Amino acid sequence: MRSKLLCITMLLFFCGLLILPQAAWANDPAEKLQERPLTQILAEISEKYQVFFTYDRSLLENVIVNYELSENASIETVINSLLSETHLRYQHLGSNYYVIFQANKQGQK
């Protein structure tokens, strides 16, 4: 009886060692940031904030960013943060419309 109890206790202990580190990693803020296509993140922002983005798909198709949507940030804060490390800028056209363009003279035409 004692040997069974000891075996069960040891088994539970070792299972806990395997599970606890994974739970700790799940709460790591760096783990939440994932490299994802900019177009995918824009789709999420569009849905969350009920806005529409217009852009030249060829400019964004290979742009990968690390970004996590913030719960309480304004749409402008979100877009500024998202585009801050890219070659892209945006212009608010009023209401719920935004244009994303290349951050050079050609993109601003």
Side-chain angles (χ1 to χ4, degrees):
M1 179 73 173
R2 283 188 180 205
S3 64
K4 282 187 177 182
L5 185 58
L6 182 61
C7 284
I8 291 172
T9 304
M10 298 272 297
L11 180 63
L12 291 174
F13 175 76
F14 287 116
C15 286
L17 288 178
L18 294 174
I19 294 171
L20 286 178
Q22 292 175 359
W25 292 331
N27 293 330
D28 184 6
E31 194 71 24
K32 293 179 182 178
L33 291 177
Q34 298 176 354
E35 288 189 345
R36 297 188 296 151
L38 178 58
T39 53
Q40 180 184 21
I41 297 171
L42 287 173
E44 292 173 16
I45 293 170
S46 181
E47 185 176 321
K48 178 178 179 178
Y49 289 91
Q50 297 298 299
V51 297
F52 301 96
F53 293 101
T54 301
Y55 51 86
D56 179 350
R57 192 156 184 83
S58 67
L59 289 176
L60 278 65
E61 68 184 353
N62 295 320
V63 178
I64 305 295
V65 294
N66 283 319
Y67 191 75
E68 177 188 358
L69 285 178
S70 178
E71 290 297 317
N72 299 320
S74 71
I75 183 67
E76 285 78 16
T77 301
V78 169
I79 299 171
N80 282 325
S81 177
L82 180 63
L83 299 180
S84 67
E85 296 182 23
T86 70
H87 61 283
L88 303 165
R89 298 295 173 258
Y90 77 95
Q91 182 176 356
H92 183 206
L93 296 181
S95 190
N96 297 342
Y97 296 93
Y98 293 84
V99 175
I100 297 178
F101 56 90
Q102 194 169 358
N104 60 21
K105 290 182 181 182
Q106 185 178 7
Q108 295 177 358
K109 287 184 179 180

